Amino acid sequence: MTVTEKTRPAATEPVASVRNRILDVAQELFSELGYSAASTRAIAQAAGVNLAQLHYHFGAKRDLFKAAYLRGAVQVTEARSKALAEARTAHAEGPIPLEVLVRSFVTPFMLAGNTPAGRATMRMHARLHTEPDDISKEVLSTVYDETTLAYVTEFQKVLPHISHETLCWRLYFMMGAYRYTLLRTGRLEAMSGGACDSGDFDRAVAEIVPFLCAGLSAP
């Protein structure tokens, strides 16, 4: 029996189950192969549906890519928004401490790598710079702009001695640091002689937070 035969849905299978299975496969193949190399035919076959079913549920390939990415990324932004709201409540009398801001911004993103679905989303994110510009810009803007701008406002409050332009540069560098970590290039293992594991995201958060705080607050 082939994989397709094993996974082909029954006629009575709930729509949500079919959609979720397609998204599972799409996340995995897009994260491994990228937008151009992952064909809708391959995704449909691995998900046990035909192309007509795939297009019925998600439309064109571009729409499927966005749906697969947003599925995990929205969880990150929701976690960030919740953490920021809690921090604002806890520090209503003054600026939110820098470490609290940094930790609440990077932790939801980096610790998403602890689950299979999260790892697929993070791999998709890490390789977005290799995808067509219009697609990468659209998904990044759709998912992250609102929460990122909210954080910029809070970072400016706790770092009033930093000009807005310089702060934006430093936040940009911060994003680059945690994105590179998610790529898991093997450089950390090579430099440490195997003593460090780039897949240990809890340790990565513990190490990156003080590093980022020092960079953001530098004169």
Side-chain angles (χ1 to χ4, degrees):
M1 182 179 291
T2 66
V3 172
T4 301
E5 289 171 339
K6 288 180 181 178
T7 58
R8 187 176 301 282
T12 57
E13 184 176 3
V15 170
S17 177
V18 177
R19 287 178 59 87
N20 284 332
R21 192 171 63 255
I22 293 173
L23 285 176
D24 287 341
V25 173
Q27 279 186 305
E28 192 62 31
L29 291 187
F30 280 135
S31 69
E32 289 181 3
L33 305 176
Y35 178 81
S36 297
S39 69
T40 52
R41 184 175 299 278
I43 293 170
Q45 182 176 7
V49 300
N50 57 48
L51 277 173
Q53 287 175 293
L54 185 147
H55 291 310
Y56 171 79
H57 288 292
F58 294 102
K61 179 180 179 180
R62 180 191 186 93
D63 298 316
L64 176 59
F65 179 86
K66 289 190 292 184
Y69 182 80
L70 294 176
R71 184 195 200 192
V74 167
Q75 296 176 12
V76 171
T77 57
E78 288 177 347
R80 280 177 172 172
S81 295
K82 180 181 178 182
L84 185 59
E86 292 173 349
R88 282 171 171 162
T89 300
H91 303 280
E93 301 302 318
I96 300 170
L98 181 59
E99 181 179 346
V100 173
L101 278 176
V102 171
R103 188 175 298 278
S104 67
F105 190 78
V106 305
T107 298
F109 202 96
M110 296 183 69
L111 292 190
N114 283 328
T115 67
R119 285 193 291 274
T121 299
M122 295 306 100
R123 288 198 302 271
M124 286 183 71
H125 182 86
R127 66 182 301 148
L128 269 179
H129 68 282
T130 67
E131 308 294 7
D133 282 347
D134 59 333
I135 295 176
S136 61
K137 289 177 181 177
E138 181 179 353
V139 296
L140 288 172
S141 179
T142 299
V143 181
Y144 298 113
D145 277 4
E146 183 177 351
T147 52
T148 297
L149 292 175
Y151 270 92
V152 170
T153 298
E154 298 300 332
F155 276 114
Q156 193 71 77
K157 290 178 183 177
V158 75
L159 298 171
H161 62 290
I162 305 296
S163 72
H164 180 70
E165 292 80 5
T166 297
L167 176 64
C168 289
W169 273 109
R170 293 182 181 184
L171 293 174
Y172 184 63
F173 297 149
M174 175 178 74
M175 294 173 187
Y178 66 67
R179 287 178 185 175
Y180 184 81
T181 302
L182 293 168
L183 284 172
R184 299 191 63 188
T185 61
R187 298 304 301 153
L188 177 63
E189 287 80 358
M191 288 188 296
S192 66
C196 300
D197 175 13
S198 58
D200 185 347
F201 294 111
D202 290 290
R203 178 66 183 273
V205 170
E207 297 292 348
I208 203 171
V209 168
F211 172 82
L212 294 175
C213 287
L216 288 167
S217 61

